[in-house]
């Protein structure tokens, strides 16, 4: 379903991704994990076509995302739901209108049906009754769940989640996890979840990729990974300070200077 | 794609940026599909922009009318021609001051808020979110604001001129005691519809398009940060003001 081959992505002189390959089969839930700043959001943006890679390809449904024309890309994106890391709700629209926007744009649903659909989605993220609030009246966790409801409202074939659980209380985490699981099962949807929350993901996903230093450091079902002998994987999965993954932000000059 | 455009914009000089702006204009106009949503969002923006600018335009218009009459009467008195004041005020208003001052005020009042608004939408990833939902932000965000500016500036210019004439009436007739009959008849016979009135309307349309394009374009290509939005807002005012005056000269020398 999603095939990523040898993705290389640079920002200036800094190589962020250095040959990442992944296979995400249809109907699977796959997590991309790794320490903060390693390039997880970048991978997601490369999959959704917001960024263009320096080398390598991303195929969704057999089509190279970065070779599509503008119109084709738009068509493709109707089938891709994205939850951005900061939610990105439309600040001038009510919660209801936020969720209704994709429906109004891409479907001809009559108003009563549209209302019912939006209510259903709101209930599934545990926020029924917030229809008339404005985004600035929501807490961070509420906004994130509204954004999630908006992302799944068109029933896309592919869902990309950027940190869906961060900043949520335990009850909301369960609600969101159930929603993600259910949408995935009901529709045979392919989900890619970017996160650094190891514990939550183990309960949810079929397969994990761990990114470290611009490459895939380890992959496999969560259970296998937790028992992995690979030092980088072990360090990340079990949260150890010592190991091959450096904790500090690395730049060429800074580390060279330190060695002198 | 917003981020790609932004990366290009950072590297290119002013000429390439002007080219980018023209491409932006054509892409925005190319996204026009007559629909009820476009109509309603354009009207809504026109209302917002108009409401933002109306009061300041009216106040300024009134005082410009008064000060113009004051200066005109002072100058004309020396030749015993102070009954010509409405002609002088009318011509300079319709041809020059109305369109130019309205556009300048509009850039400062409405243009800046359009730039800031779009810039903020970008900084908070709302533009990205639209792209990801396969909603063209050029069509839903940029186009209605551009069209609204295009519609508003000529209307506001009319308002400015009307209030300036009122200011002139108050000062010339009310304060200086000029004969109202002469005032109005000079205005009626001396101002030509085609040359004076329509000339001003064309100008205000061009200025409206110019200011709106600049405001929308700078918002759309601003850096997605607080200071980026601030810079873009300032640039909108500066560039709009300069271009209004440059275009005013060009249009005047060619067409009027
Ligand atoms: N707009 C940008 N300009 C320059 N560098 C950037 C930009 N966005 C991200 N980066 C760099 O790219 C790297 C990867 O960023 P990315 O956002 O993909 O990290 P992440 O893995 O999602 O981190 P987190 O878990 O904290 O969200 C970081 O080192 C960051 O410094
Ligand atoms: Mg991230």
């Amino acid at each position: 379903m999603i095939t990523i081959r040898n993705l290389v992505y640079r920002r200036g002189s800094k190589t962020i991704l250095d040959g990442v390959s992944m296979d995400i089969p249809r109907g699977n839930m796959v997590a991309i994990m790794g320490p903060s700043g390693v390039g997880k959001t970048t991978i997601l943006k490369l999959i959704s076509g917001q960024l263009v890679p320096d080398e390598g390809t991303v195929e969704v449904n057999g089509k190279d995302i970065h070779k599509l024309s503008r119109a084709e890309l738009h068509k493709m994106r109707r089938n891709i739901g994205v939850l951005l890391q900061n939610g990105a709700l439309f600040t001038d629209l009510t919660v209801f209108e936020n969720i209704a926007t994709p429906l109004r744009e891409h479907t001809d649903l009559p108003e009563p049906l549209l209302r019912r659909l939006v209510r259903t989605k709101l209930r599934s993220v545990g926020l029924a009754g917030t229809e008339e609030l404005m985004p600035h009246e929501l807490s961070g966790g509420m906004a994130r769940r509204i954004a999630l409801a908006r992302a799944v409202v068109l029933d896309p074939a592919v869902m990309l989640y950027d940190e869906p659980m961060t900043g949520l209380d335990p009850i909301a985490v369960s609600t969101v996890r159930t929603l993600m699981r259910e949408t995935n099962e009901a529709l045979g949807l392919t989900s890619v979840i970017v996160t650094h929350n190891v514990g939550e993901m183990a309960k949810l996903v079929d397969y994990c990729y761990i990114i470290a230093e611009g490459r895939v450091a380890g992959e496999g079902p969560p259970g296998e990974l937790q028992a992995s002998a690979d030092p980088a994987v072990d360090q990340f999965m079990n949260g150890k300070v010592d190991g091959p993954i450096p904790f500090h932000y690395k730049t060429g000059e800074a580390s060279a200077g330190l060695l002198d | 794609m917003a981020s790609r455009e932004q990366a290009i914009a950072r590297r290119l000089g002013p000429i390439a940026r002007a080219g980018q702006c023209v491409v932006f204009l054509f892409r925005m106009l190319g996204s026009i599909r007559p629909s009820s949503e476009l109509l309603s969002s354009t009207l809504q923006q026109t209302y917002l922009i108009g409401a933002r600018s109306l009061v300041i335009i009216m106040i300024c218009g009134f005082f410009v009318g008064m000060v113009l009459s004051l200066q005109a009467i002072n100058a004309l008195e020396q030749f015993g021609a102070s009954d010509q004041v409405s002609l002088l005020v009318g011509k300079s208003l319709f041809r020059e001051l109305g369109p130019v001052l309205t556009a300048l005020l509009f850039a400062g009042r409405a243009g800046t808020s359009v730039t800031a608004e779009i810039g903020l939408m970008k900084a908070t990833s709302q533009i990205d979110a639209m792209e990801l939902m396969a909603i063209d932000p050029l069509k839903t965000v940029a186009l209605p604001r551009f069209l609204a500016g295009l519609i508003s500036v000529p209307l506001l210019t009319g308002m400015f001129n009307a209030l300036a004439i009122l200011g002139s009436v108050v000062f010339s007739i009310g304060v200086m005691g000029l004969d109202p009959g002469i005032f109005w008849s000079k205005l009626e016979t001396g101002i030509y519809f085609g040359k004076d009135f329509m000339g001003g309307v064309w100008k205000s349309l061009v200025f409206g398009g110019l200011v709106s394009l600049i405001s929308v374009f700078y918002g759309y290509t601003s850096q997605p940060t607080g200071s980026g939005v601030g810079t873009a807002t300032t640039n909108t005012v500066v560039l709009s003001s300069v271009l209004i005056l440059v275009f005013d000269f060009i249009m005047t020398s060619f067409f009027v």
Side-chain angles (χ1 to χ4, degrees), chain B:
Chain B
M1 248 150 285
S3 55
R4 206 184 323 179
E5 275 158 16
Q6 175 196 326
I8 296 170
R10 216 175 311 152
R11 257 175 272 140
L12 299 183
I15 293 180
R17 187 143 167 82
Q20 199 196 359
C21 185
V22 172
V23 172
F24 176 88
L25 175 66
F26 280 107
R27 262 185 48 205
M28 185 165 67
L29 295 179
S31 75
I32 296 185
R33 306 274 177 280
S35 67
S36 57
E37 287 105 60
L38 179 61
L39 186 67
S40 72
S41 56
T42 303
L43 287 180
Q44 192 195 355
Q45 288 300 327
T46 312
Y47 174 76
L48 287 176
I49 289 176
R52 268 175 203 155
S53 323
L54 192 58
V55 174
I56 184 175
I57 295 260
M58 287 171 73
I59 295 174
C60 293
F62 186 76
F63 280 98
V64 166
M66 298 234 285
V67 78
L68 263 186
S69 315
L70 173 60
Q71 294 280 20
I73 288 174
N74 270 343
L76 291 169
E77 245 173 5
Q78 297 169 16
F79 314 101
S82 49
D83 54 350
Q84 304 283 349
V85 62
S86 63
L87 192 60
L88 192 61
V89 169
K91 284 217 188 246
S92 43
L93 261 182
F94 286 117
R95 285 183 172 193
E96 282 297 328
L97 292 173
V100 169
L101 289 179
T102 306
L104 288 174
L105 289 168
F106 181 81
R109 185 71 189 85
T112 47
S113 49
V114 165
T115 303
E117 196 182 352
I118 298 179
L120 201 70
M121 290 178 85
K122 216 181 143 183
T124 51
S125 314
Q126 295 181 51
I127 301 280
D128 284 345
M130 280 185 199
E131 294 250 8
L132 289 170
M133 283 176 202
I135 298 175
D136 186 356
L138 281 180
K139 192 180 82 185
T140 50
V141 176
L143 188 60
R145 286 170 174 79
F146 173 76
L147 293 178
L150 200 62
I151 298 169
S152 304
V153 173
L155 294 179
L156 290 169
T157 303
M159 206 62 193
F160 183 95
N161 287 342
L163 265 290
I165 296 291
L166 179 68
S168 179
V169 167
V170 167
F171 187 80
S172 322
I173 301 172
V175 180
M176 302 303 285
L178 247 65
D179 181 64
I182 295 179
F183 185 94
W184 290 114
S185 74
K186 290 277 175 204
L187 202 58
E188 231 178 279
T189 52
I191 306 284
Y192 300 109
F193 180 77
K195 224 173 144 187
D196 297 326
F197 185 77
M198 285 314 286
V201 172
W202 283 122
K203 276 188 181 176
S204 67
L205 261 177
V206 170
F207 296 161
L210 204 63
V211 175
S212 317
L213 176 62
I214 292 171
S215 326
V216 173
F217 177 71
Y218 270 83
Y220 206 76
T221 53
S222 67
Q223 297 290 315
T225 59
S227 65
V229 176
T231 313
T233 310
T234 314
N235 286 344
T236 294
V237 186
V238 174
L239 191 66
S240 297
S241 309
V242 172
L243 285 186
I244 287 168
L245 296 172
V246 171
F247 270 68
D248 184 41
F249 177 73
I250 295 174
M251 289 182 73
T252 309
S253 49
F254 277 101
F255 306 115
V256 181

Side-chain angles (χ1 to χ4, degrees), chain A residues 1-4 26 46-49 56-69 71-77 79-80 158:
Chain A
M1 179 83 191
I2 303 178
T3 315
I4 299 175
R26 187 186 300 273
L46 288 162
I47 298 177
S48 65
T57 56
V58 177
E59 284 184 10
V60 179
N61 270 341
K63 288 195 186 121
D64 186 338
I65 279 277
H66 304 287
K67 295 220 171 67
L68 297 178
S69 72
E72 287 169 328
L73 185 63
H74 263 217
K75 212 167 147 206
M76 173 76 93
R77 279 179 173 167
N79 273 318
I80 303 180
V158 175

